[in-house]
Amino acid sequence: MDPSQNPASSRHATDILAMGDALVDVIATCDDDFLTRFDLPRGAMQLLDEPQALALYDAMGSAREMSGGSAANSMAGAAAMGADVAFVGQVADDQLGTIFTHDMRALGVKFDTPPLTEGPSTGRCLILVTPDGERTMNTCPGAAHCLSRDAVDEAAVRAASILYLEGYLFGPELSRQAMFRAIDIAHAAERTVAFTLSESVCLPGRREPLQKLIAAGGIDLIFANESEALQLAGAADLDEAIGRLSTQVRTLVFTRGPAGALAFENGLTTEVPAISVPQVIDTTGAGDLFAAGFLAARCKGHPIDRQLMTGGIAAAEIISHFGARPVADLADLVKL
């Protein structure tokens, strides 16, 4: 099934079912000296244990707290654009887990994964934004990486047109096996499996099982920024990456920041320019919302150029303010 030709809303109970980290974002501004003092990788993401996360949280000062996680952000955006969406992710039975659950449901996202009553606390991502709008993410996954195969609802996967998987969740073996189960169910039901890369999934030890999954035809659509694409493909430039990946993945979608975005599908390359914004405030969630716009337009049956443009509009809205959840009326902006 090709959702670009068959609108999901007319055939399936759910447009998109996503699996990813269930996190609460804690966002604060800082200067470059702060990053240097705490030896934080500027513009990148690193994993923290709970003591490290507590120490950094204490030093951050005033911050905004809201539910987050890459695929969760995408589903919040897609729901705002009129898509019927659901999310699978693991929280704990604690205050942050309650916040996450309430936020997702209030945004119109179906979220029914039972919370853990034992084990680590709900995950959180400590995000530091420098004056140029660049974000440095410090993630303590906690309960998010305890997602198991038992949390995958077969009926829910079969009911969705697109299964959307988050790269950050692919690292731990437990949640990776949950993803594999969901992929098997989705493909048995002839659904599309989409995967959004992350820098973490391109690390040695994680890249190899992902490459094996791709080579076996497990992924139908990949989202990546240019750096992630080159790392995954072991390529020197984007053309080489497309050449290597396109033999195994039907649809490739690459974001390139100010250079816009492109897709390679059915042997054709489609490019669109970036959407201009007066000032970049915070790039947190830009890729997440791009994927949301792309998939929402795809499920509505729009052509590939419109899918890319819708992703660009959604990403532009997100980088114009703090946080990875839309503030403006996305449905009005994209007019799907």
Side-chain angles (χ1 to χ4, degrees):
M1 185 206 69
D2 183 352
S4 68
Q5 302 299 321
N6 298 287
S9 57
S10 66
R11 300 188 60 184
H12 303 287
T14 308
D15 291 330
I16 312 161
L17 173 70
M19 293 178 65
D21 282 348
L23 305 174
V24 174
D25 288 343
V26 181
I27 306 174
T29 57
C30 75
D31 55 23
D32 287 319
D33 288 342
F34 185 92
L35 299 182
T36 300
R37 190 162 72 250
F38 283 87
D39 194 25
L40 303 177
R42 191 181 194 283
M45 190 282 290
Q46 67 172 345
L47 295 176
L48 305 179
D49 58 27
E50 294 219 16
Q52 290 172 321
L54 288 173
L56 182 58
Y57 179 78
D58 288 342
M60 286 173 65
S62 178
R64 300 170 177 84
E65 297 185 358
M66 62 196 73
S67 59
S70 176
N73 290 337
S74 296
M75 292 307 94
M81 287 177 270
D84 191 327
V85 302
F87 178 75
V88 177
Q90 190 64 65
V91 298
D93 186 12
D94 56 19
Q95 182 178 2
L96 290 183
T98 300
I99 290 172
F100 183 91
T101 301
H102 174 270
D103 283 355
M104 294 298 282
R105 292 175 177 172
L107 290 167
V109 180
K110 301 171 193 168
F111 177 59
D112 299 313
T113 309
L116 293 180
T117 56
E118 298 179 351
S121 58
T122 297
R124 78 294 309 261
C125 183
L126 308 179
I127 302 171
L128 293 156
V129 183
T130 43
D132 61 353
E134 186 64 83
R135 85 283 185 272
T136 299
M137 300 190 299
N138 307 275
T139 304
C140 179
H145 285 181
C146 295
L147 186 72
S148 70
R149 291 170 60 91
D150 293 340
V152 178
D153 183 330
E154 181 173 352
V157 176
R158 294 177 61 87
S161 173
I162 296 174
L163 173 66
Y164 177 66
L165 305 174
E166 172 191 318
Y168 292 117
L169 194 65
F170 190 79
E173 183 63 26
L174 184 66
S175 53
R176 186 185 303 169
Q177 291 301 320
M179 284 185 164
F180 288 158
R181 178 168 187 251
I183 290 169
D184 288 343
I185 295 168
H187 277 162
E190 298 185 339
R191 306 297 186 246
T192 295
V193 176
F195 194 103
T196 181
L197 296 186
S198 66
E199 295 284 349
S200 67
V201 85
C202 296
L203 295 173
R206 298 183 181 187
R207 182 174 59 244
E208 292 78 11
L210 179 58
Q211 290 172 328
K212 182 178 179 180
L213 174 65
I214 291 170
I219 306 298
D220 305 307
L221 190 162
I222 281 181
F223 290 99
N225 63 34
E226 193 162 356
S227 172
E228 292 161 351
L230 299 187
Q231 290 181 64
L232 177 66
D237 56 45
L238 199 55
D239 286 340
E240 184 181 354
I242 291 173
R244 294 185 179 185
L245 294 173
S246 62
T247 62
Q248 301 170 324
V249 181
R250 188 172 67 230
T251 305
L252 303 172
V253 182
F254 301 120
T255 55
R256 299 180 296 166
L262 68 82
F264 186 87
E265 185 176 60
N266 298 325
L268 299 174
T269 299
T270 304
E271 298 186 54
V272 300
I275 303 297
S276 177
V277 297
Q279 182 181 5
V280 176
I281 301 298
D282 175 15
T283 57
T284 306
D288 304 337
L289 268 292
F290 180 91
F294 184 95
L295 292 176
R298 194 170 182 86
C299 287
K300 299 290 184 181
H302 290 287
I304 193 76
D305 57 343
R306 180 68 189 279
Q307 295 169 33
L308 290 167
M309 288 299 298
T310 304
I313 293 169
E317 192 281 335
I318 285 299
I319 66 176
S320 65
H321 59 78
F322 281 105
R325 299 290 168 87
V327 173
D329 185 343
L330 276 184
D332 184 60
L333 285 176
V334 302
K335 293 181 172 59
L336 293 178

